[in-house]
Amino acid sequence: MPVAGAVSEVRYVNLGVRDLAASIAFYTRAFGYQVLHTADDDGTGTARLWGSAEAYPAAVAVLGPAGATSGLLRLSGWAAPAGPARTGDTRRDHGHYAVNLRVDRIDEVRRRIQDDEALVLSEPRQWSITPEITVWDSLSHDPDGTVLDVFEIVEDATGFSGSGIGPHRVQTVAVHVPDAQAATDCYTGLGLRVWFDKTIDGMTDFFHVPGGVRLRDVNLYAPGHGDGGRVEIVQYVGLTGRFTDAAPPRTGINSITFEVDDLDAATAALCRAGGRPVAGETQVDLPMHGPARSRLLLGTGGEAIELFARVGG
């Protein structure tokens, strides 16, 4: 399948939150992130992006490691937040599933998460992602119920995951889909590449799924950017799911953002692979990236994917 051209790693994970100050405090304390940018947003640009007749104002903060320009969290503290993007049953809700965050010491971060009273879903467990990579992995919630897959790399014989010295930018955003192959085709059409594609057995208690359900897991990366900003396709084989609505001002993961060199070509590539546009093109001004042409599309899992190309770039 022809691809769209150059595509970045995930620049932003866009999270709607109820209490911006509380969310900033949680992520800076638990993960050592810094506030890289703040702004007040009147909501008109977001409304155009989502094709909404109503604007939803928000106070915005961009968080991440110092100096990072991708793998960032862009938090929108909605003035009038709606309900969560997901029902809370992550086994069945399609769409954006979790934010995967790498840490250097999972035991220390686990204590900080618990101190902030976020719900711990699964205690740390050691397992091998691939024969070359072993991790300590855990599942938790942030203050708004967004699932966080927090992990520590024990061994990486490939060197693909980069330095073990954090803080680390967002490693992957997991997307729960009804058909892993269709979703993989969508992201490879955009220009991402498959790092690994495997089916996982024996982790039903960790993922809180019924016995006999298998997890197909496809991890994709932007060429030259394996150490963060990846996409993880998740399909629970043997368990039916449902599509969810993550539009603003819902809380949780609203969308993910990629930079592309050709917005029209990237849009066409996603549509050929099963994506569909939400609204027309709009002009945006992105923190640390400046003025851009932008468009929002839905992937095959119903997840919102924002594409942007810098004006004059």
Side-chain angles (χ1 to χ4, degrees):
M1 177 183 296
V3 298
V7 62
S8 73
E9 65 272 51
V10 174
R11 293 292 195 201
Y12 305 106
V13 183
N14 303 299
L15 295 176
V17 302
R18 292 169 296 179
D19 184 330
L20 182 61
S23 293
I24 290 173
F26 173 80
Y27 282 105
T28 54
R29 178 181 178 185
F31 301 103
Y33 282 173
Q34 297 185 21
V35 177
L36 306 177
H37 174 86
T38 60
D40 290 322
D41 184 356
D42 65 7
T44 55
T46 300
R48 290 194 301 270
L49 193 67
W50 285 84
S52 172
E54 184 175 354
Y56 300 104
V60 176
V62 177
L63 276 62
T69 58
S70 62
L72 304 175
L73 298 176
R74 184 168 60 178
L75 309 181
S76 293
W78 305 118
R86 303 173 68 83
T87 67
D89 186 352
T90 57
R91 303 165 300 176
R92 295 188 181 274
D93 290 346
H94 292 315
H96 294 297
Y97 168 73
V99 181
N100 296 15
L101 298 167
R102 180 183 176 185
V103 298
D104 295 340
R105 291 290 305 275
I106 198 169
D107 52 343
E108 295 177 0
V109 176
R110 167 68 176 77
R111 285 194 294 271
R112 294 185 204 129
I113 291 175
Q114 188 176 41
D115 288 346
D116 281 83
E117 300 180 352
L119 178 63
V120 174
L121 298 174
S122 297
E123 295 288 353
R125 176 181 299 187
Q126 187 172 127
W127 65 292
S128 294
I129 298 176
T130 71
E132 301 84 10
I133 300 175
T134 301
V135 299
W136 278 103
D137 199 5
S138 67
L139 296 176
S140 299
H141 278 158
D142 80 353
D144 289 284
T146 300
V147 175
L148 305 179
D149 185 321
V150 180
F151 67 95
E152 173 190 342
I153 295 179
V154 178
E155 180 181 7
D156 178 6
T158 70
F160 186 80
S161 54
S163 169
I165 301 174
H168 302 274
R169 57 198 183 133
V170 172
Q171 295 293 287
T172 65
V173 182
V175 185
H176 182 206
V177 301
D179 184 332
Q181 191 57 57
T184 299
D185 291 344
C186 194
Y187 286 97
T188 54
L190 183 60
L192 302 187
R193 297 178 182 174
V194 174
W195 177 21
F196 63 79
D197 180 350
K198 65 181 296 183
T199 300
I200 300 169
D201 295 299
M203 296 281 284
T204 55
D205 57 336
F206 184 84
F207 293 110
H208 305 285
V209 295
V213 173
R214 308 171 75 202
L215 175 69
R216 184 173 174 189
D217 186 28
V218 186
N219 205 293
L220 302 106
Y221 67 98
H225 300 283
D227 64 341
R230 301 188 302 269
V231 173
E232 181 180 18
I233 303 298
V234 176
Q235 179 187 355
Y236 290 115
V237 181
L239 190 67
T240 58
R242 56 186 169 239
F243 290 95
T244 53
D245 179 11
R250 295 189 182 276
T251 56
I253 306 175
N254 299 123
S255 63
I256 58 176
T257 301
F258 294 95
E259 182 176 1
V260 295
D261 63 347
D262 187 328
L263 182 62
D264 297 330
T267 298
L270 274 180
C271 290
R272 283 194 302 269
R276 53 191 175 89
V278 174
E281 179 186 317
T282 188
Q283 297 287 315
V284 296
D285 192 4
L286 292 170
M288 291 165 288
H289 297 99
R293 301 166 55 217
S294 185
R295 192 157 191 189
L296 193 73
L297 299 96
L298 297 183
T300 59
E303 76 279 14
I305 303 166
E306 180 186 4
L307 306 177
F308 78 88
R310 300 189 207 203
V311 173

